[in-house]
Amino acid sequence: MAEPSAEPGVGDAAATPRVVVLDHGSGNVRSVVRALEAAGAAVELTADRDLALAADGLVVPGVGAFAATIEQVLAVGGDRIIERRLAGGLPVLGICVGLQIMFDAGTEHGQRSAGLAQWPGEITGLQASVVPHMGWNTVEAADGTQLFRGVESERFYFVHSYAAREWTMEQIGSLAAPKVTWAEHDGDRFVAAVENDALTATQFHPEKSGDAGAKLLANWLGTLPRRRPGTEGAAAGAEQVASP
């Protein structure tokens, strides 16, 4: 069982990380909000652009189909919010289909839908005798991981039939290669999580993963910069991203 962590900001409102969970219609948003609050964050469920840009962290949840999720995200302008935050180095966490839509595209039931193209590659069906992959599974945590610190050997809860089954993005110039964590279901290996500077995502559901998921969320919260509205580095910092 994962050891409890000291959450940032406990007893200190100025240090409590402020997180927006993007409200695009995903069915698991309430459990995500509760899990983040339990991990030590002040959380708001909204699609408001200004609030999403001003938050210390943005979480993009997702359940169900790739095509439906990307439509929902686009409908609330989530693509522009995500792009703008990442261009300014402001943290974003994707969960489940929220990881999948960060790739170039996803193909489900013969339908190919464009993703947000933050990472190269395509989401495809798991090649397993039993799908969906539903239940607890271990992961192969990436070397140097911050996200899995203290829970490298723990199990996490997965529910999915599709995944990123290849990873092609490596080190570019002086930029370090993303840290990629893998998992395996019925002999099929797939991406379980990615840590790529400001963009982090998990294929599993940390909000449904008990103590291990709580520790993982606390680890992510601990990486967030603390920014306050009206101060340098808050929404004003995000405004700089808009400059061509």
Side-chain angles (χ1 to χ4, degrees), residues 45-191:
L45 174 62
T46 182
D48 182 272
R49 171 182 172 276
D50 292 337
L51 292 175
L53 290 176
D56 298 323
L58 175 70
V59 176
V60 183
V63 294
F66 185 106
T69 300
I70 194 66
E71 283 184 11
Q72 292 169 337
V73 170
L74 294 175
V76 299
D79 56 328
R80 296 187 296 274
I81 292 170
I82 292 166
E83 182 69 34
R84 192 160 174 183
R85 284 188 63 90
L86 294 177
L90 306 180
V92 175
L93 172 66
I95 295 176
C96 195
V97 186
L99 171 145
Q100 295 180 4
I101 63 172
M102 299 300 172
F103 285 84
D104 285 331
T107 299
E108 298 182 4
H109 308 296
Q111 177 184 358
R112 188 176 189 273
S113 303
L116 299 180
Q118 294 296 330
W119 296 322
E122 188 160 333
I123 303 300
T124 57
L126 291 171
Q127 301 301 298
S129 59
V130 177
V131 290
H133 172 214
M134 180 181 297
W136 298 85
N137 202 351
T138 55
V139 300
E140 305 166 26
D143 291 340
T145 178
Q146 291 181 286
L147 190 65
F148 290 89
R149 188 177 65 250
V151 289
E152 296 91 340
S153 301
E154 299 293 334
R155 298 189 303 160
F156 298 89
Y157 191 79
F158 292 82
V159 183
H160 63 117
S161 299
Y162 298 83
R165 297 168 52 245
E166 296 181 355
W167 181 265
T168 59
M169 184 178 180
E170 303 298 338
Q171 181 170 339
I172 302 174
S174 61
L175 298 176
K179 297 180 179 67
V180 182
T181 289
W182 296 84
E184 185 176 303
H185 172 58
D186 194 27
D188 197 11
R189 197 163 179 259
F190 62 88
V191 173

